[in-house]
């Protein structure tokens, strides 16, 4: 499929964080745990996408500035 949009991943991660925070305040630890697990997955996706983008940028830089 198409690569995820970094901004969309960040918005999704933030929504999980916000829901986890509300659940924590309400003492709903099951929901807190679920939202933190979802947040972790989104953060991993963001890290992976960032690594891919860095590799792509380096490749483009080498093409534009060959040794």
């Amino acid at each position: 499929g198409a690569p995820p949009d970094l901004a969309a991943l960040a918005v999704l991660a933030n929504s999980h964080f916000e829901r986890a925070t509300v659940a924590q305040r309400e003492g709903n630890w099951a929901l807190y745990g679920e939202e933190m697990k979802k947040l972790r997955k989104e953060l991993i996706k963001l890290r992976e996408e960032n690594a891919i983008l860095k590799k792509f940028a380096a490749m483009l830089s080498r093409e534009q500035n060959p040794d």
Side-chain angles (χ1 to χ4, degrees):
D5 175 27
L6 292 178
L9 286 174
V11 168
L12 190 55
N14 189 62
S15 69
H16 290 305
F17 176 77
E18 292 296 327
R19 286 194 292 266
T21 302
V22 170
Q24 181 184 38
R25 270 186 257 144
E26 295 174 352
N28 186 343
W29 299 109
L31 181 59
Y32 173 81
E34 289 174 28
E35 292 299 332
M36 291 303 285
K37 188 182 290 186
K38 291 174 183 177
L39 171 60
R40 179 168 161 54
K41 286 181 181 179
E42 297 309 320
L43 292 175
I44 289 169
K45 288 179 191 175
L46 276 166
R47 185 180 63 210
E48 290 170 352
E49 281 303 305
N50 188 50
I52 290 168
L53 289 174
K54 283 183 178 180
K55 287 178 185 177
F56 184 67
M59 184 178 70
L60 285 177
S61 178
R62 282 192 302 270
E63 285 180 6
Q64 291 176 355
N65 302 307
D67 292 334

